[in-house]
Amino acid sequence: MSNILKDELLLTAPPLLIGALVGWLANDIALGIAATLLTFSARHFHQLILLNKLISNGKEVQKPYPTGLWGKIYREKSLQQKQNNKLKQNLKQFVTNFQEASTAISDALITLDQENRISWANPAAETLLNIHWPSDSGQLLTDKVDYLFLETYLQQSDFSRPLEFSLPNNQNAIISLQVTSFGKMERQHLVVVREITQLFHLNQARRNFVSSVSHELKTPLTVLVGFLEALNDAETLAHQDRPLELMQQQAARMQLLVDDLLILSRLEIESKTIDEEPLAIGTLITEVIEEAKLLSDAQRHQFKLKIDESLSLHGNRQEIRSSFSNLLTNAVKYSSPNSTISIIWAKNSVGPYFSVSDQGDGIAERHLSRLTERFYRVDTGRSRESGGTGLGLAIVKHALYRHDAELKISSKIGVGSTFCCQFHHSRAIY
Ligand code: ADP
């Protein structure tokens, strides 16, 4: 038997006995017991009323506590109240910290409900987007930032890329808007807006600089190559042959580099692809494989194909061709003679994909995320030796980006690598 129950019995039994004794003395035991029970009921009723009052007015339970079971109830209630108070205090502190942090941050933070209505915004949202919280609470974000492309962006569910645009109240300022879904079924959104004017102009200046330099280099290089060819055809002294050959090789390398830099600049500067058309990818792949076979030449790589001829794509011919060709060229360059190169053109749940798998040395995990950076090479010597410019994968990444596609790379040391261009269904022609 629990201590509480024992205490309660000890509290109840003596008065009952006394009641019975008094009743016996007055010749009515039942009346004595009934009177005592009535007193007990009145006590419990009184405690019930007190407890109800306590719960409804939210006051703290004060000592001394009653004896027995009621005492236990009051002690439990007091413990609960203390725990709740602590929780409330922690929550209050958390909210204060969050508010202070969100006030200190220079990025605008806005939360939207399922209908893209503003539910909260920090003070920076006032400066950047003229959104005032709490007065703008419940308003549609698209009413406050009235751009058609923002409405389209919010309606789609792919927020993997930020939206960049100039400020409604200041056309000179560029902002980046990134959406992250959260909450139940990810139906609420956190919008992070930051000013990127300086970064944007810096990037633009870098792009323009690379593009101008490449353009400026192109003409003198063509002249140099022309004269070198003429010299090569003319009669030369024996000791001049080797330097001439080296000069020709290096000039050709520089031409490749300038060409790749120009392609990359164009891909970066123009935000959207032009000249898009339905592409018969099966035929296009056959063409690039023929080129890869020429490159492989005496190395006799085996080409294993799995091509879905019925699957076509809507895109820019030159950009798609250059992407596929770069991947195939790399597979030939970085795998051993006689090894197999597998090429797949098929579709999965995301959309069509083109993949090239080789049986080369493979690439260590730490390099994978950096391979598409300009001039990033795992083995600089080998890349130069094979005539690489170090820009191939950067070109692939940008060309795919413009087709809303993604380059996925997986590799295992000693086994080989797979480079996969993953397109979306929206680009496919089934
Ligand atoms: P590069 O002109 O040097 O080949 P890329 O941009 O095409 O430039 O590739 C960058 C680097 O990625 C290469 O230098 C090489 O180290 C690595 N790489 C690319 N493709 C493969 C592959 N199929 N197997 C192993 N390494 C590769």
Side-chain angles (χ1 to χ4, degrees):
M1 197 184 292
S2 75
N3 284 344
I4 293 289
L5 214 62
K6 256 189 225 163
D7 285 355
E8 198 61 26
L9 272 178
L10 279 175
L11 268 176
T12 321
L16 260 177
L17 275 174
I18 293 168
L21 192 69
V22 173
W24 176 69
L25 287 175
N27 276 335
D28 198 338
I29 296 180
L31 187 70
I33 292 173
T36 318
L37 285 177
L38 200 70
T39 321
F40 283 148
S41 299
R43 176 181 171 249
H44 288 312
F45 194 60
H46 174 67
Q47 290 296 354
L48 268 178
I49 290 170
L50 285 182
L51 188 67
N52 179 45
K53 242 191 206 165
L54 205 78
I55 290 171
S56 38
N57 63 21
K59 275 195 182 154
E60 282 205 16
V61 180
Q62 299 288 354
K63 276 182 183 172
Y65 305 133
T67 44
L69 206 52
W70 281 108
K72 182 176 160 53
I73 291 171
Y74 276 82
R75 262 190 297 277
E76 292 279 331
K77 178 78 190 149
S78 162
L79 196 72
Q80 233 177 42
Q81 278 178 337
K82 277 183 189 138
Q83 282 170 345
N84 278 349
N85 285 347
K86 198 154 183 222
L87 256 167
K88 258 190 227 164
Q89 251 173 6
N90 287 347
L91 202 68
K92 218 168 136 184
Q93 188 58 45
F94 174 78
V95 172
T96 314
N97 286 348
F98 178 77
Q99 271 173 345
E100 278 172 7
S102 69
T103 307
I105 204 164
S106 58
D107 294 347
L109 305 174
I110 304 144
T111 55
L112 305 178
D113 64 12
Q114 294 97 310
E115 288 157 9
N116 291 329
R117 287 179 189 281
I118 298 161
S119 49
W120 173 83
N122 72 343
E126 281 179 38
T127 332
L128 284 177
L129 296 174
N130 200 24
I131 290 174
H132 301 259
W133 186 79
S135 57
D136 285 335
S137 201
Q139 283 221 51
L140 284 170
L141 178 67
T142 42
D143 282 350
K144 294 296 295 180
V145 186
D146 191 11
Y147 281 137
L148 190 65
F149 56 76
L150 179 61
E151 204 164 332
T152 321
Y153 181 74
L154 288 174
Q155 271 162 7
Q156 49 134 31
S157 49
D158 178 18
F159 299 122
S160 54
R161 292 176 194 177
L163 199 62
E164 287 174 10
F165 55 96
S166 51
L167 273 176
N169 51 355
N170 177 6
Q171 290 294 317
N172 292 325
I174 314 285
I175 57 169
S176 147
L177 183 148
Q178 176 84 62
V179 176
T180 311
S181 304
F182 71 98
K184 211 173 172 191
M185 297 176 64
E186 306 230 309
R187 282 167 69 188
Q188 280 156 277
H189 300 309
L190 170 69
V191 182
V192 180
V193 183
R194 73 174 47 129
E195 204 196 319
I196 54 156
T197 315
Q198 225 179 352
L199 195 73
F200 182 84
H201 290 308
L202 215 72
N203 250 330
Q204 210 169 34
R206 177 187 59 77
R207 282 187 217 131
N208 291 343
F209 174 75
V210 174
S211 170
S212 310
V213 169
S214 312
H215 268 296
E216 293 299 326
L217 281 175
K218 208 169 162 62
T219 320
L221 252 178
T222 316
V223 175
L224 271 177
V225 169
F227 278 118
L228 282 171
E229 267 169 20
L231 269 176
N232 205 25
D233 294 342
E235 275 203 14
T236 47
L237 298 171
H239 73 276
Q240 291 174 329
D241 289 348
R242 182 67 186 141
L244 210 60
E245 188 192 334
L246 284 178
M247 278 159 78
Q248 266 190 313
Q249 272 176 14
Q250 294 307 317
R253 239 179 76 76
M254 275 175 81
Q255 268 188 322
L256 280 180
L257 196 65
V258 166
D259 286 345
D260 273 2
L261 277 172
L262 279 172
I263 295 175
L264 198 56
S265 299
R266 191 179 51 76
L267 291 178
E268 277 189 323
I269 290 169
E270 295 163 10
S271 61
K272 282 264 164 246
T273 48
I274 44 168
D275 297 334
E276 289 198 359
E277 54 182 322
L279 305 171
I281 297 291
T283 322
L284 191 142
I285 293 174
T286 316
E287 284 168 25
V288 288
I289 289 173
E290 285 312 312
E291 287 171 13
K293 278 182 182 164
L294 283 179
L295 182 72
S296 168
D297 195 25
Q299 297 182 66
R300 299 187 166 278
H301 288 93
Q302 307 296 313
F303 291 87
K304 207 171 105 190
L305 314 181
K306 194 179 149 218
I307 311 283
D308 182 346
E309 295 281 352
S310 65
L311 195 57
S312 299
L313 195 75
H314 197 81
N316 178 291
R317 185 175 176 77
Q318 201 191 340
E319 289 173 23
I320 297 294
R321 194 181 198 286
S322 141
S323 303
F324 291 3
S325 169
N326 263 314
L327 297 184
L328 262 171
T329 309
N330 279 351
V332 172
K333 282 193 315 195
Y334 300 108
S335 61
S336 2
N338 295 314
S339 61
T340 304
I341 296 173
S342 309
I343 298 134
I344 302 177
W345 169 245
K347 65 168 184 273
N348 57 19
S349 59
V350 183
Y353 68 93
F354 170 77
S355 83
V356 180
S357 305
D358 61 51
Q359 296 175 328
D361 297 339
I363 308 157
E365 172 88 40
R366 65 178 190 283
H367 297 295
L368 294 184
S369 60
R370 302 197 58 193
L371 285 186
T372 54
E373 288 176 16
R374 291 166 191 82
F375 303 113
Y376 187 87
R377 284 140 164 162
V378 178
D379 180 344
T380 314
R382 187 166 179 186
S383 166
R384 292 233 170 86
E385 209 177 280
S386 60
T389 59
L391 294 170
L393 292 181
I395 291 177
V396 176
K397 181 185 156 183
H398 277 88
L400 292 182
Y401 184 87
R402 285 150 58 91
H403 287 80
D404 311 308
E406 202 187 337
L407 177 65
K408 292 183 169 173
I409 311 170
S410 56
S411 191
K412 217 169 180 183
I413 293 285
V415 179
S417 318
T418 297
F419 288 76
C420 175
C421 308
Q422 177 70 65
F423 298 89
H424 284 281
H425 287 303
S426 54
R427 284 268 165 193
I429 306 169
Y430 297 122

